[in-house]
């Protein structure tokens, strides 16, 4: 009897162990399932990538190109077509040379008609406002009416001509003599005034005789 009870107790103990292990496996599997479900619901921080489209190459023609003759001599290009390394410490009135380069989209050649990008220009050392009057153009004032002596002046804006090279700003203010009287240029008004005076003098002379 005692020998039959011992195997039965051992079988019960084995069953309890198996039951414990099965419960443990079930609990462990449930936690893993919950963790997996949580990871699916909350995948964590996401990274966003912004695709930047490639900028299209500009095909616009710079406005200064309209002033630049194509395949002409580089040394004859207008000042708006080139960039030069100038030196303000040159001696006024003396000849000077500066290194220059053509601007983008500008084409020019040298004396041998070969394409050129870098060259030198020869000029006189002086600022733009020191140029002779024939080298720049200024605004006129038709409302400046005077016959006084000395003649009055008016403020004008002057711009250097394209083919002339100089130092400093190519547009500058300048005080000019009033050259208009009653809608006529000063020289024209002066000539008319002299004619009138001569005519009056002749009439008076004839009347006296």
């Amino acid at each position: 009897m005692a020998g039959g009870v011992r195997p039965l107790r051992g079988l019960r103990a084995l069953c309890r162990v198996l039951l414990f292990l099965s419960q443990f496996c079930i609990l462990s599997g449930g936690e893993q399932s919950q963790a997996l479900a949580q990871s699916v619901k909350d995948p964590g921080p996401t990274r966003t990538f912004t695709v930047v489209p490639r900028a299209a190459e500009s095909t616009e023609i710079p406005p200064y190109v309209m002033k630049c003759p194509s395949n002409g001599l580089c040394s004859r290009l207008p000042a708006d077509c080139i960039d030069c390394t100038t030196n303000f410490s040159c001696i006024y009135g003396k000849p000077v040379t500066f290194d220059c380069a053509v601007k983008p989209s500008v084409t020019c050649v040298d004396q041998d008609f070969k394409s050129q990008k870098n060259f030198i220009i020869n000029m006189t050392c002086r600022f733009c406002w020191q140029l002779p009057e024939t080298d720049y153009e200024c605004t006129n004032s038709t409302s400046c009416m005077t016959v006084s002596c000395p003649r009055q002046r008016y403020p004008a804006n002057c711009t250097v001509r394209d083919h002339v090279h100089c130092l400093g700003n190519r547009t500058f203010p300048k005080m000019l003599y009033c050259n208009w009287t009653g809608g006529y240029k000063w020289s024209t008004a002066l000539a008319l005034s002299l004619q009138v005076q001569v005519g009056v003098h002749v009439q008076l002379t004839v009347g006296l005789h």
Side-chain angles (χ1 to χ4, degrees):
M1 186 69 179
V5 173
R6 288 180 180 177
L8 184 58
R9 291 179 178 176
L11 182 60
R12 290 178 178 176
L14 180 60
C15 290
R16 291 176 180 174
V17 172
L18 293 175
L19 180 60
F20 173 76
L21 291 175
S22 63
Q23 292 178 350
F24 177 77
C25 291
I26 292 173
L27 292 176
S28 299
E31 292 177 356
Q32 292 179 356
S33 300
Q34 291 179 357
L36 179 60
Q38 182 68 23
S39 63
V40 173
K41 293 180 180 179
D42 186 10
T46 58
R47 296 181 180 179
T48 57
F49 297 92
T50 302
V51 178
V52 180
R54 184 179 179 181
E57 295 183 358
S58 177
T59 57
E60 295 183 0
I61 300 176
Y64 58 79
V65 174
M66 303 300 295
K67 296 183 178 180
C68 309
S70 179
N71 295 323
L73 290 176
C74 295
S75 58
R76 299 293 182 87
L77 285 174
D80 291 339
C81 306
I82 60 178
D83 289 320
C84 298
T85 305
T86 56
N87 182 8
F88 292 158
S89 63
C90 58
I91 300 175
Y92 172 74
K94 298 293 183 180
V96 63
T97 59
F98 293 129
D99 294 327
C100 301
V102 295
K103 291 184 177 180
S105 302
V106 178
T107 58
C108 61
V109 296
D110 59 9
Q111 298 290 343
D112 298 326
F113 300 101
K114 295 180 180 179
S115 180
Q116 193 176 32
K117 292 294 183 182
N118 300 291
F119 58 97
I120 62 173
I121 60 170
N122 300 306
M123 56 177 285
T124 302
C125 178
R126 57 190 171 188
F127 287 96
C128 295
W129 59 269
Q130 295 173 320
L131 291 170
E133 294 182 358
T134 55
D135 288 342
Y136 55 83
E137 297 179 345
C138 300
T139 56
N140 291 321
S141 175
T142 56
S143 61
C144 181
M145 301 171 57
T146 177
V147 291
S148 62
C149 184
R151 290 161 58 188
Q152 296 182 0
R153 295 174 181 262
Y154 71 95
N157 289 323
C158 303
T159 303
V160 180
R161 299 183 187 275
D162 290 339
H163 66 279
V164 178
H165 299 284
C166 54
L167 301 176
N169 295 327
R170 298 184 62 82
T171 300
F172 52 90
K174 196 165 188 177
M175 296 296 296
L176 299 180
Y177 283 111
C178 292
N179 201 29
W180 294 82
T181 57
Y184 295 95
K185 288 189 64 175
W186 173 269
S187 56
T188 305
L190 179 61
L192 292 175
S193 176
L194 292 176
Q195 290 178 0
V196 171
Q197 290 180 4
V198 171
V200 171
H201 178 72
V202 171
Q203 290 180 357
L204 290 175
T205 303
V206 174
L208 292 175
H209 290 285

